Amino acid sequence: MASNRKVMVLPGDGIGNEVMQANMKIIDWLAKHRSLGFDLSEGLVGGAAYDVHGTPLTDETLADSIASDAVLFGAVGTPKYDGVPFEVRPEAGLLRLRKEMDLFANLRPAMVFPTLVDASTLKPEVVSGLDIMILRELCGGSYFAEPRGIDDLGDGTKRGYDTNAYTTPEIERIGRVGMELARKRDGRLTSVEKANVMHSGVLWRQVMTALHAAEGEGVALSHMYADNCAMQLVRNPKQFDVIVTDNLFGDLLSDCAAMLTGSLGMLPSASLGTPDPETGLPKAMYEPVHGSAPDIAGKGLANPLAQFLSFAMMLRYSFDQADEAGLVEKAVNMALESKRTGDIMAPGCEQTDTDGMTKAVLDAMDRLAR
Ligand code: IPM
Ligand code: MG
């Protein structure tokens, strides 16, 4: 269907392919029942691109991604590539996309669906009704800052190092997104670093404090050390509204938050850049937080729901289709009432596979649309 919604589809490796194929069925449904069309292109990324081109992301795929309104991403990496040079491992393709598209704001919402309260390893009262947002800085810190490398010390030993550096503007721009998000939610922002140990953390706290004093009306800002935050996330996660943190801490804390929701297979994400001055839309990529799950890849068993929820975020943040986004989210919750993939299986539910779960969501969309 012709449309001005240009979407670059990058399924990647492992279960990325299976959950993306499932996502296409949701897209087909919206085309048929809501006349919502997308101009879809598909490309290779990760190991899939390396096998064909010897690089996990070609310049052409990068250019197509930059030219699109949104990138819909699956997952990258499998142990098959453990031996390939570090610069061309599958993950490097994902990191290059994030960096070159300047997708500095990574939104990772962790919501416990009412139907999934029992799937969490935590007590129901700790997680029921949970709705928090982890905002992870995605283009700086120890993932990208220089110097980084492995040096030969000449005595038969080596030294490996990464730099966790942040500049004032880098902290300010993620801090602004954090305050905007908090304003649209419960108005509470927790800034997370290790200012007790790290210089980057000291600056992070100073800049967040100054930014909040200057622009933080309507937002209550608090600060927390990252180790304490990890502990608080499993002790009493509902104390949080929005957590803003750096690239590495955000990577760790979002996996932790994912598990509160029952499974890594449930957590979507949006990675956004600066809004375009003409369209007002940011460059954007949407990807499930789970990886390529090599252990179950190719078996049709993967939970496709984080992919669907990432797609719903795309509808909401890139295409202003809040109704359709809500429809997908509601259908996911409805489908979970009876059907479960193995990762979130519970007594009384019917265990199903990727196709079965997808069909349950499509059936729920049919029922909701009536
Ligand atoms: C994530 C992943 C990635 C990261 C990997 C696949 C490079 O763990 O998106 O959280 O570390 O950022
Ligand atoms: Mg991660």
Side-chain angles (χ1 to χ4, degrees):
M1 191 176 295
S3 86
N4 51 5
R5 300 181 198 87
K6 276 185 68 160
V7 177
M8 184 70 185
V9 178
L10 300 175
D13 305 322
I15 63 164
N17 291 288
E18 296 153 58
V19 296
M20 192 63 83
Q21 260 176 36
N23 202 150
M24 289 304 135
K25 296 181 187 158
I26 308 288
I27 291 181
D28 290 344
W29 190 100
L30 289 172
K32 191 164 159 216
H33 298 274
R34 291 290 165 99
S35 303
L36 188 62
F38 297 93
D39 177 359
L40 303 171
S41 319
E42 195 171 319
L44 297 174
V45 71
Y50 178 82
D51 285 344
V52 178
H53 302 291
T55 166
L57 180 73
T58 62
D59 291 344
E60 198 180 18
T61 306
L62 174 64
D64 289 347
S65 301
I66 292 174
S68 68
D69 296 315
V71 176
L72 191 60
F73 194 95
V76 285
T78 76
K80 181 180 157 195
Y81 305 97
D82 281 355
V84 309
F86 189 72
E87 299 71 37
V88 291
R89 73 206 185 283
E91 290 81 358
L94 172 60
L95 296 178
R96 184 166 176 224
L97 272 168
R98 289 174 178 171
K99 186 70 176 172
E100 303 247 358
M101 292 175 73
D102 200 22
L103 304 172
F104 68 94
N106 182 221
L107 283 60
R108 301 191 158 187
M111 273 177 56
V112 171
F113 284 86
T115 40
L116 270 192
V117 171
D118 292 319
S120 176
T121 48
L122 274 77
K123 293 193 189 101
E125 62 268 28
V126 176
V127 295
S128 75
L130 180 79
D131 176 1
I132 62 178
M133 174 73 84
I134 298 200
L135 175 63
R136 168 185 176 193
E137 199 293 326
L138 205 57
C139 286
S142 55
Y143 275 61
F144 294 105
E146 298 286 342
R148 52 203 289 105
I150 300 179
D151 291 349
D152 206 322
L153 296 182
D155 61 357
T157 68
K158 294 177 182 177
R159 180 171 175 267
Y161 51 95
D162 300 278
T163 305
N164 200 46
Y166 274 99
T167 63
T168 306
E170 282 177 314
I171 302 167
E172 280 175 348
R173 69 176 184 170
I174 194 71
R176 280 197 185 97
V177 176
M179 293 198 301
E180 267 166 48
L181 285 170
R183 269 191 207 99
K184 289 188 195 144
R185 296 171 48 100
D186 197 36
R188 291 175 297 120
L189 181 64
T190 309
S191 171
V192 171
E193 26 61 8
K194 271 190 68 79
N196 51 346
V197 179
M198 299 165 72
H199 291 99
S200 54
V202 172
L203 183 69
W204 184 282
R205 190 173 286 217
Q206 284 169 359
V207 173
M208 284 292 170
T209 304
L211 183 73
H212 178 253
E215 306 173 18
E217 217 188 298
V219 176
L221 174 72
S222 57
H223 305 273
M224 195 179 270
Y225 297 140
D227 52 347
N228 184 26
C229 183
M231 187 269 277
Q232 296 296 340
L233 268 174
V234 284
R235 191 186 73 89
N236 175 20
K238 285 189 257 181
Q239 69 185 282
F240 297 109
D241 181 20
V242 180
I243 292 173
V244 61
T245 190
D246 79 5
N247 206 341
L248 184 59
F249 293 143
D251 183 43
L252 306 178
L253 296 173
S254 61
D255 263 30
C256 182
M259 235 16 240
L260 303 174
T261 72
S263 166
L264 206 49
M266 292 303 301
L267 210 70
S269 84
S271 305
L272 309 175
T274 314
D276 182 286
E278 270 171 39
T279 64
L281 284 176
K283 287 257 166 289
M285 178 157 79
Y286 299 88
E287 68 178 292
V289 171
H290 63 67
S292 57
D295 52 326
I296 56 162
K299 298 184 180 157
L301 298 176
N303 178 353
L305 298 179
Q307 182 72 53
F308 298 170
L309 295 171
S310 302
F311 172 68
M313 289 186 91
M314 178 177 106
L315 292 173
R316 181 169 282 123
Y317 291 104
S318 283
F319 300 121
D320 204 17
Q321 302 279 348
D323 288 352
E324 281 73 16
L327 177 71
V328 173
E329 289 158 356
K330 276 197 211 93
V332 164
N333 186 46
M334 241 166 112
L336 286 167
E337 279 165 16
S338 55
K339 299 271 170 46
R340 301 291 172 89
T341 42
D343 56 321
I344 46 175
M345 187 52 195
C349 291
E350 185 190 325
Q351 185 157 346
T352 187
D353 54 9
T354 311
D355 281 347
M357 202 68 226
T358 306
K359 186 169 179 311
V361 173
L362 291 169
D363 288 346
M365 286 171 77
D366 281 339
R367 269 177 283 151
L368 287 164
R370 253 180 230 141

